[in-house]
Amino acid sequence: VEGRALVYVRVCPARARDRAVHLTGGGAVTLTGEAETRDFAFDGVFAETASQLDVYEKIGPPVLQAFISGINGTILAYGQTGSGKT
């Protein structure tokens, strides 16, 4: 998609104290807490079982191909220390 940043999320394994995370398909994630439920939409969602290779194979090649064609490209990984950003 030209003209905007694409946003993908990789869900980390839930801990007992975390909110419940539900992948509802089509890039949607629902967080269920004690007091509320929130829905979020992304361009893509990777389950907690997705490997780093799975993530790269989905988002890396289009960025690399655009770069080879002379278009700037960036993959930005953001998250908690030890969460698999490498």
Side-chain angles (χ1 to χ4, degrees):
V1 175
E2 291 186 36
R4 70 176 189 89
L6 299 178
V7 179
Y8 288 81
V9 63
R10 178 178 172 197
V11 177
C12 66
R15 297 176 297 233
R17 68 178 188 270
D18 286 340
R19 296 177 175 197
V21 177
H22 306 281
L23 308 181
T24 56
V29 175
T30 299
L31 296 179
T32 304
E34 292 179 18
E36 66 178 324
T37 297
R38 302 277 313 260
D39 295 317
F40 298 90
F42 301 96
D43 293 297
V45 177
F46 296 94
E48 63 186 55
T49 57
S51 69
Q52 290 177 330
L53 182 59
D54 295 333
V55 174
Y56 172 77
E57 287 178 341
K58 174 68 178 176
I59 65 173
V63 175
L64 182 58
Q65 185 59 47
F67 175 76
I68 291 170
S69 299
I71 300 170
N72 292 334
T74 300
I75 297 175
L76 174 68
Y78 175 83
Q80 185 175 7
T81 300
S83 64
K85 298 176 297 294
T86 304

